[in-house]
């Protein structure tokens, strides 16, 4: 790797780590920690599955396309993020930095990219495509899921950013297909 690129990557990793440590320090406050643990837990899937069930309950047959779209896009996201995690093998921040406190149990071993953020972005973008009025609740919730990841010591900010970008990309491609 050329020296300039190595210097840039080292600087980027330093900034990413510093931001992660700064976010994670906020979790020393028990109210902040518990709030973001709850947000993260909802982002495990329960909220999204409940939303899909509610859409089907309220709109019945009209909700079939949006729900199937969310399922297929979410499944695609799962395949991509698991493939990336298996290739990059980036350790979670709490495994690398002693000053980062683990505040929630990770679902898997590796950090890059954030699957919670990736799925939150996919589900939000697809849901608001069909139900724009949901944007008032889903966009802030998705942002909170992204913030929860470094606050809880589970992801670097770059993991969250890349997860969001992949989620946007999958959503945009899915809109062009459907």
């Amino acid at each position: 790797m050329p020296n300039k690129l190595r210097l840039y990557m080292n600087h980027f990793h330093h900034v990413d780590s510093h931001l992660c440590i700064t976010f994670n320090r906020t979790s020393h406050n028990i109210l902040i920690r518990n709030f973001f643990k709850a947000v993260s837990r909802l982002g495990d899937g329960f909220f999204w599955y409940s939303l899909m069930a509610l859409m089907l309950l309220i709109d019945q047959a009209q909700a079939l396309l949006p729900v199937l779209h969310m399922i297929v896009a979410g499944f695609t996201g799962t395949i991509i993020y698991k493939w990336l995690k298996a290739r990059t093998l980036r350790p979670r921040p709490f495994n690398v930095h002693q000053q980062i406190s683990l505040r929630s149990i990770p679902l898997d071993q590796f950090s890059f990219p954030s699957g919670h953020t990736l799925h939150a972005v996919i589900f939000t973008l697809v849901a608001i495509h069909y139900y724009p009025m949901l944007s008032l609740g889903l966009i802030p919730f998705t942002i909170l899921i992204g913030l929860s990841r470094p606050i809880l010591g589970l992801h670097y900010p770059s993991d969250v950013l890349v997860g969001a970008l992949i989620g946007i990309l999958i959503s945009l491609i899915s809109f062009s297909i459907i």
Side-chain angles (χ1 to χ4, degrees):
M1 184 178 334
N3 284 339
K4 274 194 170 192
L5 181 58
R6 186 172 301 141
L7 283 173
Y8 173 75
M9 294 301 290
N10 285 340
H11 177 71
F12 176 79
H13 181 70
H14 175 74
V15 170
D16 202 26
S17 296
H18 178 72
L19 284 171
C20 190
I21 291 165
T22 301
F23 277 113
N24 184 250
R25 281 190 186 131
T26 66
S27 72
H28 295 308
N29 178 303
I30 194 162
L31 294 175
I32 291 173
R33 176 176 50 238
N34 288 339
F35 174 76
F36 282 104
K37 281 175 79 170
V39 166
S40 179
R41 188 76 175 135
L42 287 170
D44 285 350
F46 176 77
F47 175 82
W48 304 113
Y49 305 138
S50 298
L51 176 63
M52 287 183 246
L54 188 61
M55 290 163 64
L56 288 169
L57 186 66
I58 293 171
D59 275 351
Q60 299 168 0
Q62 290 179 329
L64 281 176
L65 178 61
V67 169
L68 286 173
H69 190 165
M70 291 172 76
I71 290 169
V72 170
F75 182 71
T76 303
T78 299
I79 291 169
I80 291 171
Y81 104 87
K82 285 188 176 208
W83 181 83
L84 281 169
K85 281 192 179 207
R87 298 300 177 277
T88 60
L89 305 177
R90 185 179 194 185
R92 292 194 181 264
F94 70 89
N95 286 325
V96 177
H97 303 282
Q98 288 183 344
Q99 58 272 59
I100 293 180
S101 302
L102 176 62
R103 302 298 188 178
S104 185
I105 298 169
L107 297 178
D108 57 41
Q109 185 178 358
F110 299 111
S111 179
F112 182 86
S114 169
H116 276 71
T117 306
L118 182 148
H119 284 99
V121 168
I122 288 171
F123 292 139
T124 293
L125 291 177
V126 173
I128 67 176
H129 175 76
Y130 295 98
Y131 301 95
M133 69 289 222
L134 293 177
S135 63
L136 292 173
L138 293 183
I139 291 171
F141 181 60
T142 295
I143 292 168
L144 289 173
I145 287 174
L147 288 171
S148 76
R149 311 315 286 161
I151 288 172
L152 298 173
L154 296 165
H155 288 282
Y156 292 95
S158 61
D159 300 335
V160 172
L161 180 61
V162 171
L165 291 173
I166 294 169
I168 290 168
L169 184 63
I170 291 170
S171 299
L172 291 175
I173 292 169
S174 76
F175 295 140
S176 69
I177 293 171
I178 291 187

